[in-house]
Amino acid sequence: MIRKFVPALAAAAAALAACSPADADNGAAGTAVVQDMPPIARTGFDDLLHNPATPFLGAENADVTIIGYVDYNCPYCKKMYVEIDEVLKADPKLRVLYKDWAIFGAVSENAARSALAAGYQGKYHAVHAAFMKHPSRVTDDEIRRLLQGAGVDLARLDQDLASHRAEIDDVLMLNMQEAMAMGLQGTPAFIINGYLIPGGMPRAQLEAIIARLRTGQPLR
């Protein structure tokens, strides 16, 4: 059962602001932490695949799908972006969907809104990459510079931020509701073919998880 949610992004972000990134020690030696899935992810994985704002990266006919809940000012999200990008480039049967979950305050929400607005001119993934590859926290001043560097028409972006505000709000709220329903404690968090993996991991672990899923082996 999906619990009742706080109807305000700011309230939810404030409640999560003190949370540390989700189990960032997954990157250590050993097996990545795999948690028992709550009903929304165990039986509703297909529902999580429907993102009204951002397209998939990778294969249309993928056999493994990674859904990532990320914040542009989460350092572990930035590390995982690089790992996933490398795997995605080498794996023709993989697809990836990112969901903006802005839990690190107002600047993160501004960045998420800007990335989603850039999607109306086909630039979401270019902006996502620019924000994730930025080596430090993204500031309000840097957001505009990074947007421009990603090829975004800033005048159109401002128009889309205003005219599509309701749609952008809906996407951010939906992402937050999904994350809260699954009991996520922070970013990054990944759902891989229905398995919940909170925190990051090195490329070798990610590839091992993908290989086990393809051979039908359990992750536990």
Side-chain angles (χ1 to χ4, degrees):
M1 178 181 295
I2 299 177
R3 63 186 71 135
K4 185 177 180 180
F5 301 105
V6 178
L9 286 170
L16 286 161
C19 293
S20 57
D23 199 3
D25 291 334
N26 272 358
T31 303
V33 175
V34 181
Q35 294 188 351
D36 288 332
M37 296 302 296
I40 188 174
R42 206 167 46 234
T43 63
F45 182 66
D46 287 345
D47 292 334
L48 298 180
L49 301 180
H50 300 145
N51 191 319
T54 63
F56 283 108
L57 290 170
E60 289 286 341
N61 59 340
D63 58 3
V64 175
T65 297
I66 299 173
I67 301 172
Y69 290 81
V70 297
D71 183 301
Y72 293 120
N73 276 327
C74 164
Y76 300 99
C77 297
K78 292 176 182 286
K79 291 179 181 178
M80 277 305 299
Y81 175 81
V82 174
E83 301 287 0
I84 291 173
D85 189 51
E86 290 177 351
V87 174
L88 183 63
K89 289 176 180 176
D91 190 331
K93 297 289 286 181
L94 180 68
R95 65 179 174 178
V96 178
L97 175 64
Y98 287 108
K99 298 205 175 196
D100 295 282
W101 186 28
I103 64 172
F104 280 76
V107 176
S108 289
E109 185 175 333
N110 186 15
R113 288 182 181 280
S114 297
L116 291 170
Y120 290 98
Q121 52 183 286
K123 293 290 186 179
Y124 173 84
H125 286 300
V127 171
H128 184 92
F131 288 168
M132 283 300 181
K133 290 179 180 178
H134 187 64
S136 58
R137 290 179 66 89
V138 176
T139 66
D140 282 327
D141 289 339
E142 288 169 326
I143 286 174
R144 301 290 284 186
R145 178 179 61 80
L146 292 170
L147 286 166
Q148 195 165 28
V152 172
D153 180 331
L154 295 182
R156 179 178 171 184
L157 180 96
D158 291 337
Q159 292 175 354
D160 287 332
L161 279 168
S163 61
H164 295 287
R165 181 176 179 84
E167 294 98 314
I168 291 171
D169 284 348
D170 287 346
V171 171
L172 293 175
M173 180 62 72
L174 176 62
N175 293 348
M176 181 195 72
Q177 288 176 342
E178 291 173 353
M180 293 178 68
M182 288 185 288
L184 302 185
Q185 298 297 308
T187 56
F190 301 97
I191 316 298
I192 306 181
N193 278 21
Y195 287 93
L196 171 60
I197 303 175
M201 70 200 87
R203 177 175 175 174
Q205 278 190 0
L206 179 59
E207 289 176 328
I209 287 171
I210 292 170
R212 289 179 71 87
L213 288 171
R214 284 179 172 150
T215 58
Q217 300 179 61
L219 296 188
R220 293 186 176 281

